[in-house]
Amino acid sequence: MTSTEQRAALQRQIWQIANDVRGAVDGWDFKQYVLGTLFYRFISENFANYIEGGEDGISYAELPDAVVTPAIKDDAIKTKGYFIYPSQLFANIAAGANTNESLNTDLASIFAAIESSANGYPSERDIKGLFADFDTTSNRLGNTVADKNTRLAAVLKGVQALNFGNFQESQIDLFGDAYEFLISNYAANAGKSGGEFFTPQHVSKLIAQLAMHKQTSVNKIYDPAAGSGSLLLQAKKHFDAHIIEDGFFGQEINHTTYNLARMNMFLHNINYDKFNMALGNTLLDPHFGDDKPFDAIVSNPPYSVNWIGSDDPTLINDERFAPAGVLAPKSKADFAFVLHALSYLSSKGRAAIVCFPGIFYRGGAEQKIRQYLVDNNYVETVISLAPNLFFGTTIAVNILVLSKHKTDAKTQFIDASALFKKETNNNTLTAEHIAQIMAVFDNKNDVEHFAQSLDHAAIAANDYNLSVSSYVAAKDTREVIDIHQLNAELKITVAKIDQLRTEIDAIVQEIEGEKV
């Protein structure tokens, strides 16, 4: 099955699951049950495969729980980070879902048992609370136990029917595609900004390639506003696993999305000891200070959100913000995220950050921060993208590429606003579009109406404006008119009109003569 066929099949099946529970669960909440069930199925199959060790004739799901010795359990938790008994596996629960009168409470007990299996082990923090948003006893599923069980069974059976074989052998990003499909269908209706929760895969690919361009290996990769982890995972998908030596790091402020990011790591077979996700406010409670610097940073932080800023006088002394000498405006925290990323970046690394366009030309504190970035030669490239690439917003965003190892004092500007493919609801970047951007990012050549590199002095003379449109002239698509040819054609047209009028006057005179 091709990737297109798999993606279409996945969307049809997810929509069928939605129809089965329609009217009971709000679409935005419904996605938690689908994604949670996908995760439950994955870790069950992944764990069973680990126990079976590739031995033919062994089916962990068919074994009694009693065969599990303390030593087997201990070893499994140290390796996988969690433990699942045979009776708790997704396959066994889904098989009897339609007739299980205590399905909702059984699931709650199983999820609690999986999480608690890691207690006292190094993986405890990575496993704790993974199923917190999969509330099987919620009244959102129905007012009665029977209603709850009916709808839970429908979701379990629907996910069970997804027939793509081994998750790792799938041609598509199963979890990412499911999430993207659910976001695109429900974000607008739920009144939520899809961009806050998810970076589309095609944009993630570009950001990952920019951050890791020409790096044969990186110590680790970091996203200070990780969302569902899609940017980190695109780096894994695009590059061989060994290039990222010490794993994947991210911080996320939204608890539900933080859980999804951790699930996403497991779903991509990244073991608990190879990722480190933290919950909290990156700007006010940053994690991983002891783990920096990072050779690659990718991020799509929230656009123009409020933060405490100058109301907290201690922040100006924070090592992340102090070098710029000014804090990002309280109503626009964009540059606070940029300065945070820069502080965490290694001397050999790059950071690729999705940014709101306004920060590149507004005055005040934002202009002073731009001056600090340009004067210190940290800005490698600014790329303007096409509008409507993200769910929940039509904004034409920019990508800011920061580097601490530039070999010249030039800053590159790329106008990629014309590179997009029109889809039903959103625009997308194709592989060819990404390749075109990466080619000019690599060679730094000037291309008329597409890319331009300027010296520090030229940017300083323009008040440190970093807006792409200030430096890359848009192609004039208006039709060129030859005024001399147009005048000649008008003369011919006027002569024809005069001739017609003369002929019409003659005909009228002839008719009037006949009447006399």
Side-chain angles (χ1 to χ4, degrees), residues 18-306:
N19 287 335
D20 290 340
V21 296
R22 179 167 289 173
V25 184
D26 172 74
W28 195 253
D29 295 324
F30 165 74
K31 71 175 173 43
Q32 301 303 130
Y33 292 100
V34 176
L35 296 172
T37 304
L38 272 172
F39 177 67
Y40 175 36
R41 174 183 163 180
F42 170 80
I43 63 170
S44 292
E45 294 179 0
N46 186 275
F47 188 82
N49 289 338
Y50 162 74
I51 294 293
E52 291 162 6
E55 293 289 336
D56 293 335
I58 297 178
S59 174
Y60 183 61
E62 297 176 3
L63 297 177
D65 290 355
V67 303
V68 177
T69 65
I72 291 174
K73 184 176 180 180
D74 179 69
D75 184 68
I77 298 172
K78 288 178 179 176
T79 303
K80 300 301 294 181
Y82 59 92
F83 189 85
I84 307 177
Y85 282 99
S87 64
Q88 299 172 332
L89 293 171
F90 171 86
N92 288 329
I93 299 302
N98 288 332
T99 57
N100 186 351
E101 295 181 357
S102 58
L103 178 62
N104 68 324
T105 53
D106 284 352
L107 283 172
S109 297
I110 290 170
F111 297 157
I114 294 173
E115 291 184 12
S116 64
S117 70
N119 290 350
Y121 287 85
S123 59
E124 179 176 352
R125 192 176 70 85
D126 299 305
I127 304 297
K128 186 177 181 180
L130 273 175
F131 291 99
D133 296 296
F134 197 137
D135 187 357
T136 62
T137 62
S138 171
N139 286 334
R140 291 177 299 179
L141 289 168
N143 293 322
T144 67
V145 172
D147 288 341
K148 292 180 176 67
N149 289 339
T150 297
R151 289 173 181 122
L152 285 170
V155 177
L156 287 167
K157 289 294 187 181
V159 171
Q160 183 186 41
L162 296 175
N163 184 25
F164 298 141
N166 186 290
F167 275 82
Q168 272 69 53
E169 295 172 0
S170 175
Q171 294 296 314
I172 61 175
D173 178 355
L174 186 61
F175 193 72
D177 278 16
Y179 192 44
E180 186 167 331
F181 178 69
L182 290 164
I183 289 288
S184 64
N185 277 278
Y186 291 123
N189 292 334
K192 300 177 186 293
S193 169
E196 180 183 349
F197 299 98
F198 188 75
T199 305
Q201 293 178 48
H202 52 94
V203 181
S204 298
K205 290 176 183 177
L206 173 61
I207 294 170
Q209 291 185 41
L210 288 166
M212 299 184 69
H213 182 61
K214 282 190 174 178
Q215 299 210 61
T216 55
S217 66
V218 299
N219 60 354
K220 45 197 172 247
I221 187 166
Y222 169 59
D223 186 344
S228 63
S230 58
L231 282 170
L232 293 172
L233 291 167
Q234 278 299 332
K236 177 182 184 294
K237 192 171 184 178
H238 184 73
F239 299 92
D240 293 334
H242 68 270
I243 197 175
I244 303 171
E245 297 169 352
D246 299 323
F248 305 80
F249 292 72
Q251 184 164 344
E252 171 56 35
I253 193 171
N254 181 286
H255 192 277
T256 296
T257 317
Y258 159 71
N259 283 340
L260 289 173
R262 291 189 295 161
M263 289 183 182
N264 221 350
M265 295 294 138
F266 282 108
L267 278 163
H268 286 78
N269 216 24
I270 299 175
N271 211 33
Y272 74 92
D273 59 345
K274 282 298 183 181
F275 74 83
N276 197 336
M277 301 298 300
L279 176 65
N281 186 321
T282 291
L283 299 182
L284 304 183
D285 182 27
H287 289 244
F288 312 123
D290 294 335
D291 296 289
K292 67 179 185 179
F294 295 86
D295 290 343
I297 296 176
V298 292
S299 194
N300 178 16
Y303 311 142
S304 300
V305 295
N306 295 327

Side-chain angles (χ1 to χ4, degrees), residues 301-369:
Y303 311 142
S304 300
V305 295
N306 295 327
W307 77 307
I308 193 170
S310 58
D311 285 347
D312 181 351
T314 66
L315 284 174
I316 194 60
N317 297 317
D318 189 301
E319 64 178 358
R320 298 169 296 165
F321 312 125
V326 65
L327 295 172
K330 290 187 292 184
S331 62
K332 303 174 183 67
D334 308 73
F335 266 128
F337 284 102
V338 169
L339 292 173
H340 170 89
L342 181 67
S343 173
Y344 275 48
L345 187 63
S346 76
S347 59
K348 62 167 279 191
R350 282 192 181 91
I353 309 166
V354 179
C355 296
F356 183 79
I359 71 169
F360 293 110
Y361 57 79
R362 291 190 296 239
E366 291 178 318
Q367 182 186 31
K368 293 178 181 178
I369 294 173

Side-chain angles (χ1 to χ4, degrees), residues 256-509:
T256 296
T257 317
Y258 159 71
N259 283 340
L260 289 173
R262 291 189 295 161
M263 289 183 182
N264 221 350
M265 295 294 138
F266 282 108
L267 278 163
H268 286 78
N269 216 24
I270 299 175
N271 211 33
Y272 74 92
D273 59 345
K274 282 298 183 181
F275 74 83
N276 197 336
M277 301 298 300
L279 176 65
N281 186 321
T282 291
L283 299 182
L284 304 183
D285 182 27
H287 289 244
F288 312 123
D290 294 335
D291 296 289
K292 67 179 185 179
F294 295 86
D295 290 343
I297 296 176
V298 292
S299 194
N300 178 16
Y303 311 142
S304 300
V305 295
N306 295 327
W307 77 307
I308 193 170
S310 58
D311 285 347
D312 181 351
T314 66
L315 284 174
I316 194 60
N317 297 317
D318 189 301
E319 64 178 358
R320 298 169 296 165
F321 312 125
V326 65
L327 295 172
K330 290 187 292 184
S331 62
K332 303 174 183 67
D334 308 73
F335 266 128
F337 284 102
V338 169
L339 292 173
H340 170 89
L342 181 67
S343 173
Y344 275 48
L345 187 63
S346 76
S347 59
K348 62 167 279 191
R350 282 192 181 91
I353 309 166
V354 179
C355 296
F356 183 79
I359 71 169
F360 293 110
Y361 57 79
R362 291 190 296 239
E366 291 178 318
Q367 182 186 31
K368 293 178 181 178
I369 294 173
R370 293 196 305 271
Q371 179 174 350
Y372 162 73
L373 295 173
V374 173
D375 284 352
N376 286 276
N377 205 28
Y378 292 136
V379 183
E380 180 173 4
T381 302
V382 182
I383 305 169
S384 64
L385 298 180
N388 204 30
L389 291 173
F390 292 79
F391 300 117
T393 179
T394 59
I395 296 172
V397 301
N398 290 181
I399 297 177
L400 172 65
V401 182
L402 300 175
S403 171
K404 291 183 177 179
H405 62 273
K406 291 172 62 181
T407 57
D408 58 33
K410 290 189 174 184
T411 296
Q412 182 188 43
F413 298 89
I414 300 175
D415 182 359
S417 59
L419 301 183
F420 66 91
K421 178 183 178 183
K422 181 66 178 174
E423 300 287 0
T424 304
N425 297 317
N426 287 84
N427 295 328
T428 62
L429 291 172
T430 67
E432 291 74 19
H433 294 148
I434 294 173
Q436 188 174 346
I437 294 170
M438 290 305 302
V440 75
F441 174 76
D442 175 55
N443 59 41
K444 296 294 190 289
N445 290 339
D446 290 345
V447 180
E448 189 176 16
H449 307 305
F450 185 60
Q452 183 78 28
S453 293
L454 288 100
D455 290 322
H456 166 270
I459 297 172
N462 195 21
D463 295 325
Y464 293 93
N465 188 323
L466 292 177
S467 178
V468 174
S469 61
S470 296
Y471 305 105
V472 181
K475 187 175 183 179
D476 190 346
T477 57
R478 295 175 299 179
E479 182 181 359
V480 177
I481 298 174
D482 186 332
I483 192 67
H484 299 294
Q485 180 181 348
L486 179 61
N487 285 333
E489 291 174 352
L490 284 173
K491 288 180 179 179
I492 293 172
T493 301
V494 169
K496 288 181 178 179
I497 291 172
D498 289 341
Q499 178 64 30
L500 287 171
R501 283 176 175 167
T502 301
E503 294 174 356
I504 291 171
D505 288 343
I507 293 172
V508 170
Q509 289 177 1

